[in-house]
Amino acid sequence: MKKQIKNTLNQTVFGKNIVYMRVCDSTNELAKREITMPHGTVFIANKQTKGKGRLGRSWESEKNSGIYMSMLIKEPLPLTDVSQLTLVAGVAVCRALGYDTKIKWPNDIVIGTRKVCGILTEKTGDAIICGIGINVNTKSFPHHLSEIATSLYIESGEKFDRDYICALVLNEFELLYNQFKEGGFAEIYGQYFDLCITLGHDVVATQNGEEICGFACGISPEGGLIIDTEEGEVTVSSGEVSVRGMYGYV
Ligand code: BT5
């Protein structure tokens, strides 16, 4: 496993050190427990028993079918908000997967109207953990996800090598991460903007239990979603907001 990933890596930091587990609760939690590991360590599991989404939600993490990985970041970054790294990782996943993948702001990677990947970035002390879950060879999902989730296999009828895809994501992430480190979100802004399908749609953002309805009209320089509401423009930042299309999931 590690060897196959390492053979495809073409960068120097992310994935140089890999911690692989057959089963763990959550690779983000594993990374928190192993916080003394070096910068760039990647934690990968074949199955998660308590895969996490944002806001206390769960991430379905069946064995042998998806990529569940977390990257440990221990460098000072020009962040106005840790969730900006979620946006960087989102662009990296789209570049690695191709397949007409798009981003539903802030952290859902979708194909058509279904979610193929989710990203969860957490700060713990001075370190940041960026967790990525990708549905690769998943054949079917539990009932509650059947309308919103998809996998590369469901979309294409083909099975993919998870290690290879994992390495492609790490390669793309490291390239973008370096640009981000140098110049902040401005470096990624154009690519994120082009990939974001939320723009141009009516949306409902739920922030601290309050609903903000309006037209998604832009991305702020910090990566927030600008919503044109009846009361004027409101910018929501990605950490604590959930966004749904007014007429469906996207
Ligand atoms: C996310 O949260 O999308 C972030 C998911 C991050 C998962 C990775 S796996 C590696 C690392 N370790 C972890 O424990 N987590 C990270 P959020 O935007 O809150 O979306 C969660 C929602 O997505 C759920 O409430 C479901 O509706 C849906 N969902 C759950 N599992 C899914 C799956 N496998 N595929 C598509 N949608 C899913």
Side-chain angles (χ1 to χ4, degrees):
M1 162 101 200
K2 282 189 195 176
K3 200 163 159 222
Q4 284 173 51
I5 294 178
K6 291 206 163 161
N7 286 344
T8 314
L9 288 175
N10 61 17
Q11 299 295 305
T12 55
V13 176
F14 290 98
K16 187 162 179 237
N17 187 33
I18 295 176
V19 176
Y20 176 76
M21 305 278 281
R22 273 197 320 140
V23 183
C24 80
D25 51 354
S26 145
T27 54
N28 273 31
E29 292 302 314
L30 174 64
K32 284 183 201 167
R33 291 192 293 270
E34 301 291 341
I35 204 80
T36 53
M37 289 273 181
H39 168 67
T41 299
V42 179
F43 300 86
I44 302 173
N46 188 42
K47 171 187 166 143
Q48 296 183 120
T49 53
K50 283 191 189 147
K52 301 195 303 179
R54 295 178 310 147
L55 308 164
R57 296 191 283 239
S58 65
W59 184 256
E60 180 71 25
S61 310
E62 202 191 51
K63 72 174 175 188
N64 302 332
S65 62
I67 293 172
Y68 317 111
M69 70 171 175
S70 300
M71 296 170 291
L72 180 58
I73 297 162
K74 294 171 92 172
E75 290 186 321
L77 290 172
L79 288 170
T80 50
D81 175 359
V82 288
S83 43
Q84 281 181 334
L85 268 184
T86 298
L87 312 181
V88 175
V91 174
V93 171
C94 288
R95 283 172 41 152
L97 297 185
Y99 246 102
D100 213 18
T101 42
K102 298 274 189 253
I103 304 173
K104 173 176 169 283
W105 186 93
N107 68 326
D108 292 357
I109 310 304
V110 297
I111 301 179
T113 59
R114 289 172 191 231
K115 181 163 172 173
V116 69
C117 162
I119 300 162
L120 174 66
T121 307
E122 299 182 278
K123 191 161 171 38
T124 168
D126 286 338
I128 297 170
I129 292 159
C130 182
I132 302 180
I134 307 176
N135 303 322
V136 180
N137 295 325
T138 322
K139 291 200 174 120
S140 63
F141 290 93
H143 184 66
H144 69 284
L145 294 176
S146 57
E147 293 293 308
I148 62 160
T150 192
S151 69
L152 297 181
Y153 176 78
I154 291 171
E155 295 297 323
S156 67
E158 271 177 67
K159 288 219 166 177
F160 290 82
D161 182 335
R162 287 178 294 156
D163 296 343
Y164 180 68
I165 292 179
C166 189
L168 293 185
V169 172
L170 292 172
N171 287 342
E172 294 294 341
F173 180 77
E174 188 160 332
L175 287 172
L176 293 166
Y177 172 87
N178 287 337
Q179 292 171 14
F180 175 74
K181 200 167 73 175
E182 288 297 310
F185 185 66
E187 295 290 322
I188 314 296
Y189 185 93
Q191 293 183 63
Y192 189 87
F193 188 93
D194 289 346
L195 287 165
C196 181
I197 40 147
T198 308
L199 297 172
H201 289 99
D202 288 325
V203 296
V204 185
T206 311
Q207 190 167 32
N208 304 325
E210 195 193 321
E211 287 197 338
I212 302 161
C213 302
F215 182 73
C217 63
I219 302 288
S220 75
E222 293 77 34
L225 182 67
I226 306 171
I227 305 177
D228 191 9
T229 73
E230 282 182 357
E231 286 83 42
E233 282 188 1
V234 177
T235 301
V236 290
S237 79
S238 55
E240 64 300 350
V241 173
S242 122
V243 174
R244 289 284 176 267
M246 204 89 97
Y247 309 107
Y249 163 70
V250 169

